[in-house]
Amino acid sequence: MDILLEDIRAKNANKITWIGFFVNLILTVIKLIAGILGNSTAMIADAIHSLSDFTTDIVVLISFRIVRKPPDKDHNYGHGKFETLATIIIGIALFIVGLGILYSSIKNIYLVIILKNNLESPGIIAVITALLSMITKELLFRFTLKIGQEIKSSAVIANAWHHRSDAFSSIGTFLGIGGAILLGDNWEILDPIAAIIVSIFIMKTAYDISIGSIKELLEESLDVITNKEILEIIENVDKVRSPHELKTRKVGNKIIIDIHINVENTLNIIEAHKINDEIERKIKAVYGNDTIINIHTEPEDD
């Protein structure tokens, strides 16, 4: 992919991410205000979940600014690990927030069931805000997913599904708050129950955000299916014999591949080099031009 196409790709990614950024910022503020004014723990929890989308937008924007910097003397394989580290920090912070909301919600349920205390009934502003959030985040999900698929960006596609998770949590909030309002004073407990559901969404989102990045920092190899596909590509290159010692890992969005191959003893260095070029071309056609491939060429044993 040439520089012009890469710039267009980055421009489209930044555009949709900035749209999501401001939508999430506005939704977070509205939900927080509605949760406070409407006395809804579930809505406050939903506001925190929107904040998770907001922070994910920041990660995507940073990644397209920093990761596109060329490798330098301190970062020979590029700057992809910065995105990885930031993602882990955000995931840990979100998980702690989710635990806090879970604790608060369980405490409120304890007050109602065990201590027989009454909770203040949530206001209509909270249920209206939940409905607004459901519609807005579903539309944002569809728009972001479309752009992500067009530019083939895993980060943008992941961000789209993050919007969808927020839409789902708003459904739980809407049902919990709406049930508490419609069913009367004896059902205020539905609001903290909905908050528990949302807190679980937040912690799951935090886990999903963090686990892949943690594996990447620990230099975990690519999955078995991807490794098998890489070997199949190499095996189908003419005059390649017995590809072996495959090692793979990720640096940000880049894939790094180390492989040993055998070639006929009669080939000269120019012919062997052409085989390596063909391997690189075919692999990059599948996994992108940023893929880093190190090939160790050995003569085939008699």
Side-chain angles (χ1 to χ4, degrees):
M1 185 180 296
D2 58 31
I3 296 177
L4 178 59
L5 288 177
E6 193 64 52
D7 287 341
I8 293 173
R9 181 173 177 270
K11 181 179 179 181
N12 289 336
N14 285 332
K15 181 179 179 180
I16 186 59
T17 305
W18 275 114
I19 291 173
F21 177 90
F22 286 111
V23 169
N24 286 321
L25 176 60
I26 293 170
L27 274 179
T28 299
V29 173
I30 292 175
K31 286 180 182 180
L32 193 58
I33 294 173
I36 294 172
L37 296 180
N39 303 307
S40 172
T41 306
M43 180 51 64
I44 293 175
D46 203 19
I48 302 301
H49 196 197
S50 289
L51 182 62
S52 74
D53 276 356
F54 173 73
T55 53
T56 303
D57 291 332
I58 294 176
V59 170
V60 175
L61 290 169
I62 291 174
S63 70
F64 273 91
R65 178 175 293 271
I66 296 179
V67 175
R68 290 183 68 240
K69 290 182 178 180
D72 53 38
K73 63 183 179 66
D74 295 320
H75 305 91
N76 300 147
Y77 290 100
H79 300 78
K81 294 290 187 182
F82 285 91
E83 177 187 358
T84 307
L85 180 60
T87 301
I88 292 174
I89 293 172
I90 289 171
I92 292 173
L94 282 175
F95 194 85
I96 293 172
V97 169
L99 280 178
I101 294 172
L102 180 64
Y103 170 79
S104 176
S105 303
I106 292 175
K107 181 180 177 182
N108 285 337
I109 291 175
Y110 173 81
L111 291 175
V112 173
I113 295 178
I114 306 300
L115 301 183
K116 305 300 181 182
N117 290 353
N118 292 325
L119 295 176
E120 197 168 353
S121 181
I124 192 68
I125 186 175
V127 74
I128 293 174
T129 303
L131 181 61
L132 173 66
S133 176
M134 286 165 49
I135 297 171
T136 303
K137 293 315 294 280
E138 180 63 21
L139 291 174
L140 189 57
F141 158 73
R142 293 175 183 271
F143 190 30
T144 305
L145 183 64
K146 180 176 180 292
I147 297 298
Q149 290 173 339
E150 287 177 354
I151 66 175
K152 298 180 180 180
S153 169
S154 59
V156 174
I157 291 173
N159 205 24
W161 284 103
H162 204 172
H163 295 320
R164 169 61 72 84
S165 75
D166 198 17
F168 283 157
S169 74
S170 292
I171 292 175
T173 303
F174 176 79
L175 294 175
I177 299 172
I181 294 174
L182 292 175
L183 297 176
D185 293 340
N186 294 327
W187 291 92
E188 293 94 344
I189 196 172
L190 289 177
D191 183 71
I193 289 175
I196 288 177
I197 295 172
V198 174
S199 72
I200 293 172
F201 267 103
I202 293 173
M203 288 187 287
K204 182 182 183 303
T205 299
Y207 174 83
D208 292 340
I209 286 175
S210 303
I211 190 64
S213 298
I214 290 173
K215 290 179 179 180
E216 183 180 323
L217 281 183
L218 294 176
E219 299 290 336
E220 182 172 291
S221 62
L222 302 181
D223 61 272
V224 174
I225 294 176
T226 302
N227 283 341
K228 183 179 178 182
E229 290 174 347
I230 292 170
L231 280 175
E232 288 176 351
I233 291 172
I234 296 172
E235 287 171 347
N236 288 326
V237 173
D238 188 35
K239 296 183 180 180
V240 170
R241 304 285 190 270
S242 306
H244 56 285
E245 293 192 32
L246 173 66
K247 297 174 183 176
T248 58
R249 59 191 174 99
K250 286 191 69 178
V251 175
N253 288 325
K254 292 180 181 177
I255 292 176
I256 299 179
I257 300 170
D258 295 295
I259 186 71
H260 289 215
I261 65 169
N262 293 109
V263 298
E264 296 176 2
N265 296 343
T266 57
L267 294 183
N268 60 42
I269 190 171
I270 295 177
E271 292 171 320
H273 181 68
K274 287 181 178 179
I275 292 173
N276 290 354
D277 285 344
E278 181 67 7
I279 291 173
E280 292 186 11
R281 186 186 66 79
K282 288 191 173 183
I283 289 178
K284 289 183 177 182
V286 177
Y287 298 104
N289 283 336
D290 288 338
T291 305
I292 298 173
I293 309 161
N294 300 309
I295 304 172
H296 181 75
T297 307
E298 304 168 347
E300 187 176 34
D301 293 335
D302 292 335

